[in-house]
Structure formats: C-alpha cells, structure tokens
Amino acid sequence: MANNSRSVKQQAKTVLSLVAALGKMTRTDKQFDDLLASLKTRRWNLCILVLVSLFFMELPMFVFSGAFAVPNIPHTCIAATSEGPTPEEHPSTSPTSASSDPANRTLGLAGDDESCSLPGGSSGSCTSWVFNNTVYGRTLTSEFQMVCDRKSLRGLYSSAYFIGGIFGSSLGGWLSDRFGRKKTMSLGIVGYQTTAIILPWLPILTPVFVLRFIMGFLHPCMVQSSFTLVMEVFEERWRSAAGILIFLPWCFGMMVMAGISALVRDWRWQNFFLALPWLLLLPFLWLIDESPRWLIVRGRHSEALRVLKRAARWNKTTLPPVRDLQILMEDIRKESADSCATKRERRWQKVWDFLETFVLLIRTRRIRKITLILFCCYFITSMGYVGLSLGGDLFSSNPFVYVAISGLVEIPGATFTIPLVEQFGRRFSNMAFYLLTGACLLALPFIPTYIEWISMTLALLGKMALTAAYQVLFLHSGELFPTEVRTWGMGNSSTMARIGSVFSSFLVSVIPSSWSIAPFIILGCSCLIAAWATSLLPETRGAALYDTVAALEAAQSFK
C-alpha cells in the first residue's frame, strides 16, 4: 500500500507540473497551502469536485458520438442521375434494405462500398442508395448519404472535433489565467451545452461540422480551467486523489452514451437526450466558487476573503484572523505583480525564450531522442485509443454492447496501472501494454466470423491495455522531460496525440470500405512499433528528475 500511495502521488505530481497556474512553489505558495490545510477537505472542496466530474462525464458522449452518428452501414444502389439535388439539399430517408441482415455481417465488412456502381453493369455513378437501418436507425450516414465519393465526410464528423481541440488547447490556459477559472469553465460549459443542443436540429451538413469544431475548441478550454480550479482548492495531500478521480466519470459517460443510443436510434434525438441532463445541471454552476488563489493573484482580495469564509462555513472550520489573511494576500499579490512586471519588461525576451525552449527539445542527442520517441508514442496511443472507441461496427455486430463494455474496461485500465508501474517500472509496463494491444489487433483478421465474441473480447482487451498504456505514457513522459522543458514538451506531445486522433477518425470510418482489415493491421503494427520505441527510452522508476537539458546530457547513465 505504501508503494501504491507513492505511485499515486508521483502520477498526480506529474499532472500538477503541467498546470501553469500552480507554478513553482514559493514561500507564499506554501503559506496558502497551509491555509487550505487548515480549512480541511470537506463539503466545499468535494462539492466542486463532484460537480466538475459530472460535467466531465458528458464529454465522451460527444467526443465518440460518431460511433453511432456516422457508422459504416450496408447500402445498395438504387438510382443514378446526371443532374439533380445533392443529398445535403434533400436528405434521404433511407428505407431499410431487406437484403442486408445485420446477423450476417462479418467482422470489418459492415459497410463495404460495393454499391458505388449502378446495378447490372451499367455505366455511370450511383447517386442514391437504400440503407440497412436495422441496427443504427436514422444516422447521418444514411440521411446525408455519406458513402462512396462522400464517405470521407464520416471521418470529418469526428476529426472536426479533434481539430477544434488542437486550437482550443493552445488558448484554454491563457483564457483561464486571464479571466478566471470559474468564468472560463462556466462559459465553456454553457457554450458546449448550447452547441450540443442546437447541433442535431440543423437541416444541412456544413453547419454540423462547424458546430463540431466549436465543441472541440471548447473542450480543452473547459477541461483545463476546471482541472486547474480543482487543483487549486484542494489541500496538497488530497490533490493526487482529486487529480485521478476527476477523470473517472469519463468511463461511465461512454456507458451512458451506449445505453441512450441503444434506446433512441435516431442520431438527432440521441444527441438531444445526451445533452439534456447536463443542460439541467447548469444552474448548479453557481455553487462553484472561483479559485481564491487566482482571486488573490488578480488583486481581488475582498472576493477571495468571501470565498474563504464560505469554505470555512461549509467545512465547519475556522479561518485565521482577517488581518493575517490580508497580509498573506498582499504578499501573494506583490509577488505576482513583481513577476508580471518582469514579464512585461522582458516581452521580447519571452519570445526568444519560447523559441529557445522549442530548440532545446531537439538540439542535443538525448533530449532529441526522448522527444521524437514520445511524439511517436503519443500519436500511436491516441490513434489506437480513438480507433478502438469509434470502431464499434468493426468489432461487433452489436456496437452498443461493445461501446458500453469498452467504457467499463477503461476503469481497471486506468487504475491497475498504479501497482504495476511501481513494481515493474514505466518502460517494461508500457512495452507489455503495447505488445498486448498489438497482438490482440493483429489476431482479429484470423478469427472466424461465427465466433464473434472472441473478436470483441480481443478488441476490448486491447483497449484496456491501451488505456493503461496511455496512463503510463503520461507519467513516464512527465518524468523524462527535464523541468525547464517539461510543460512545453508535454504540450507538444498532446498536440501529436490530437493529430493521431484526427487520423484515426478516417482510419476506422473511411478505409474499411476499401480494405476491411486495414484498421486492425495498421493499429496493431503501430502498437508493436510503439513497444519497440519504448524499449529505447530510459527507465525513470526511483530516478531523480532532471531540472535542465544540460544535466540530462551530462548524466553518466541513460538506461
């Protein structure tokens, strides 16, 4: 248990180092942490954690909604025209084709584009299809006829969200620091909810993609600000647990999404019912206070004092004398003001430091090796995770059951890694997870279609292993990057992960139409490459973290 506790704390400290708002620990930081300790962790802190976690539970429902909104559906050509309205102008109602029984579908062949040509060998291209809506009901795929020449639109539905996330991640931290944790989080949640409610009722396709991009943009703005808020209101000894627990509802969100989608088989009503419960939670945002640490830094001492008094009242504890609090707040304010003044005076120096930090990641041999390998691993891990989450129609004839169980297997995948990495180390653990995922995926094409449960079991086992790999990779990379480039290195790694997500959206939505086993081979081989690349990284279990790139390069051992 002691080892597990140390590992949990180490994981959380790695996460915390990425939150710019917490910065480097100073004397006033320590004094404020002592103040939070005197307030204890009770109702006030837990209320913020629970409410933020509930909003986090909604995110996977829209991140992976493409699994049920734009699946690869069996279809049959019924007409061709030289001219006429496009499917976007007059969406197809897509009657069910009796010739396509979902029970006869084979793994990876659920929607092969074998009906892109006119029947009977006639020349010309097909422009209208009949879709088998028995499994999914009404979808974007059938309504806007996203097949054949338009099949790439299926991948665009999910990738628009991930591309928005790339832009939002670079702005979310600045908005949170500039306008406050609560305001940025609240505006992000309200905007996200509003967009989620409007999106399913749009009559044409282009605005749907635009709103998906906006939701993806708001996603990191909401997550970064709310995560920072939780970290800043918890006393130091509980931040580790809070940093882990805040993301656990993600797994339950996937299960809820699968259940609602199975009950409501119409993509418009699915999205509406997925967003409705959290729309009703919006009034509870007023229960969440602004971070007192941020209020103090911004010089809003009276507001900070009100928040601290409320926290003391909710937690049934006693604050230090008001005069002592005012002195502490003024010290924090002065320290922050001096820092800001220095930053303004050195604006051009800051730009130069930014460029210099980027060069540091690739300038010398060891840090360049670490950077390139971690970029590769983040790209592959995210690509595999998203592919296994979106590809319900590839791995099972009942995608609703698959997605629900895939959310369930993420719980052990995210929690059992703690004792494993402490016992066997980061490098060996991740190599094992990547190898297991690769073996499961590469075995899928050889499984007979009449024993589908084995195929689904292998896919779910692979996802559980890859979820664990993601956790270990985050911990390992945070320990590999030296302090002076850790935030920048992790930020760029996150960008590579999002690029992998974009690629995966097309991999599982578009490529199977032409080559059904391509996703299994590409993802499986990629995981084997990641296992090999991980073997080239040094082990960090029990090792001291490097503060500078120079110290890393000068180290005697690099194994």
Side-chain angles (χ1 to χ4, degrees), residues 10-301:
Q10 194 165 7
Q11 277 187 286
K13 286 179 181 177
T14 301
V15 174
L16 292 175
S17 68
L18 307 180
V19 182
L22 296 183
K24 185 181 290 185
M25 185 65 72
T26 63
R27 179 181 61 85
T28 53
D29 290 328
K30 181 65 172 63
Q31 289 176 336
F32 192 83
D33 279 339
D34 291 340
L35 174 61
L36 289 177
S38 69
L39 288 173
K40 302 187 181 299
T41 298
R42 293 180 180 171
R43 285 194 304 168
W44 178 69
N45 319 72
L46 295 176
C47 176
I48 294 176
L49 175 64
V50 169
L51 288 175
V52 169
S53 298
L54 284 176
F55 285 110
F56 274 23
M57 185 176 172
E58 178 193 26
L59 295 177
M61 301 181 187
F62 294 99
V63 174
F64 301 122
S65 64
F68 304 118
V70 287
N72 202 2
I73 306 175
H75 51 277
T76 303
C77 178
I78 59 173
T81 57
S82 57
E83 294 182 0
T86 65
E88 184 171 336
E89 293 168 341
H90 291 284
S92 169
T93 57
S94 306
T96 299
S97 170
S99 63
S100 300
D101 185 353
N104 294 327
R105 296 187 308 160
T106 55
L107 186 65
L109 298 176
D112 290 342
D113 282 340
E114 56 191 18
S115 301
C116 295
S117 301
L118 292 175
S122 303
S123 59
S125 298
C126 187
T127 58
S128 184
W129 297 264
V130 175
F131 292 85
N132 181 353
N133 293 329
T134 306
V135 176
Y136 293 96
R138 187 185 188 188
T139 64
L140 273 165
T141 301
S142 58
E143 183 176 340
F144 293 99
Q145 301 195 353
M146 297 181 180
V147 293
C148 298
D149 293 340
R150 294 167 59 83
K151 63 184 179 182
S152 60
L153 296 176
R154 296 200 303 267
L156 185 58
Y157 177 83
S158 294
S159 63
Y161 191 103
F162 298 125
I163 293 171
I166 294 175
F167 289 92
S169 60
S170 60
L171 197 60
W174 178 81
L175 290 172
S176 178
D177 290 339
R178 177 67 179 84
F179 299 104
R181 307 346 182 179
K182 180 181 178 179
K183 183 176 291 186
T184 303
M185 177 190 69
S186 299
L187 290 176
I189 290 174
V190 171
Y192 195 92
Q193 294 295 140
T194 304
T195 306
I197 290 291
I198 295 174
L199 185 147
W201 309 117
L202 296 174
I204 55 178
L205 198 55
T206 301
V208 170
F209 293 146
V210 172
L211 291 192
R212 287 284 295 175
F213 175 88
I214 293 174
M215 291 178 72
F217 179 87
L218 293 173
H219 179 136
C221 297
M222 180 170 56
V223 169
Q224 291 174 11
S225 57
S226 53
F227 181 81
T228 304
L229 173 62
V230 170
M231 293 297 101
E232 290 181 343
V233 300
F234 270 79
E235 56 179 303
E236 187 176 5
R237 65 173 178 153
W238 292 112
R239 284 179 192 155
S240 305
I244 295 172
L245 291 174
I246 193 174
F247 290 109
L248 278 184
W250 177 281
C251 310
F252 298 104
M254 293 195 67
M255 291 185 275
V256 171
M257 174 186 68
I260 292 178
S261 299
L263 294 173
V264 184
R265 305 200 182 190
D266 182 317
W267 79 272
R268 295 187 185 275
W269 287 105
Q270 280 174 12
N271 279 264
F272 177 77
F273 285 122
L274 288 174
L276 185 60
W278 280 264
L279 188 66
L280 301 178
L281 283 175
L282 289 181
F284 289 95
L285 284 172
W286 73 273
L287 292 175
I288 300 177
D289 288 311
E290 180 58 89
S291 166
R293 192 187 296 256
W294 181 84
L295 289 171
I296 293 171
V297 167
R298 304 299 292 186
R300 295 158 64 170
H301 296 173

Side-chain angles (χ1 to χ4, degrees), residues 72 113 151-155 505-514:
N72 202 2
D113 282 340
K151 63 184 179 182
S152 60
L153 296 176
R154 296 200 303 267
S505 303
F506 291 95
L507 177 65
V508 299
S509 300
V510 180
I511 295 180
S513 301
S514 304

